[in-house]
Amino acid sequence: PIQKEHFFTSINSEFEEISYTLEPFTIALPHFSDNEARNWFLNTTYYRRYSQQCLHNECEKYGFLFNDSKEHLNIHIALVNNGVYYDDACGYRYDEAALRRTFVAPKHVSVVYEQAIIYTVPDAWSFQHFLDGIGPKLVHSRKYLDKYPSAKVLILEGPRFDRSVKEIWTLLGVNESNRIIHYNRQMKVGAHLLINPCRAPGIHPRLWQDARSMYWSLINLPKAKSNLLIYVQRTSTNTKNPGRLILNEKPVIELLREYAAKNSLIYVQYDHSQQNDYIGKQIELFYNARIIFGIHGGALSNINFSPSETIIIEIIPYRSDKSSLPIVCSMFNPNTFKPCSGYNYYVQAQLLNQSYWILPNVVDSRTNVNVNITRLQQLFDSLPVQH
């Protein structure tokens, strides 16, 4: 908008951008244990939208190809002298003029810092959006956090600031009290050196796997045992959003326990609201996972701490009348496609080189699920033999 610009000179001559390009990548289809799951996935908006990108139109063989240079491959870090941040969307579409915006006099901005780094990804005060939004940007800009130990870190102000996120920032050497700025949208933030890592892909296997290695490196991890079967439990008390509860949890847990016992795995029931441990313990727990099972929900973001080859089994709740998840876009008009957040753990697991299995399950009027035990048993029977 024009009114933003009159505070600043629009183009900055003292502007440096460090850029590099990552290689194109593919995302394989999920594993299906039955045709019902396969047919459901092949009718999703996600499939309809991205199947146009499959090599030789053979999605099952080659997966979806991601090779749009701006959206998927190009990484930029901008270093701007006397730069200004003013409510710009932190993503690969970051506007060129906004990137070069500078202040002429301190009175033109709300505050001036010596150095500031922008990580204003939506909702990144929450655990899941820190991992999926800030994590990939942090990997290629972390050296600036270390190089400028007093640089301010801008994140969007939120209704809360998850303890786990605070703890990860602390492990990175960024203490909330003296470095984190909870940015609100009225502030015009000036910095003598404004570091902007926003223009980077939201998804790329290299960024996601490097972010995972970064989380591991923050704590002293023993050699991985990879012997846990973790049930990520969703309850009416541990979730911010209602619905997506497994109503027949008892037989589901019996099946999981039985499978774990037969395959020399240790069964762990994980309720994130009961975990008062330091984030390091949480990282270590999921680092030792062999199988992670759960219904779609934020706590599944812990797969970001699990190694490649970990088996991820996600119950995907959907409404039969809308052919859509309770939480995502409908499938009826693929031409007005909007990215479907409901598929995000599928994509994340593939970026992390994990083995992702999907079990779609219809919901009731309150968006809760009775898991089909026969189909679940069939899925576990289809898994590769555990060693």
Side-chain angles (χ1 to χ4, degrees), residues 263-290:
N263 290 275
S264 312
L265 297 172
I266 297 165
Y267 172 78
V268 174
Q269 208 156 293
Y270 178 78
D271 173 348
H272 69 271
S273 68
Q274 304 298 315
Q275 305 298 315
N276 296 316
D277 284 337
Y278 184 58
I279 186 69
K281 291 284 181 212
Q282 193 173 328
I283 294 172
E284 187 176 335
L285 180 74
F286 284 89
Y287 165 76
N288 280 305
R290 180 75 199 94

Side-chain angles (χ1 to χ4, degrees), residues 14-47:
E14 298 184 67
F15 168 85
E16 185 189 352
E17 191 165 55
I18 297 151
S19 304
Y20 56 98
T21 304
L22 300 172
E23 60 291 336
F25 61 97
T26 54
I27 285 182
L29 269 59
H31 293 293
F32 309 112
S33 55
D34 59 24
N35 282 329
E36 193 178 328
R38 173 182 275 105
N39 294 338
W40 183 89
F41 185 80
L42 298 182
N43 280 303
T44 58
T45 12
Y46 188 92
Y47 183 81

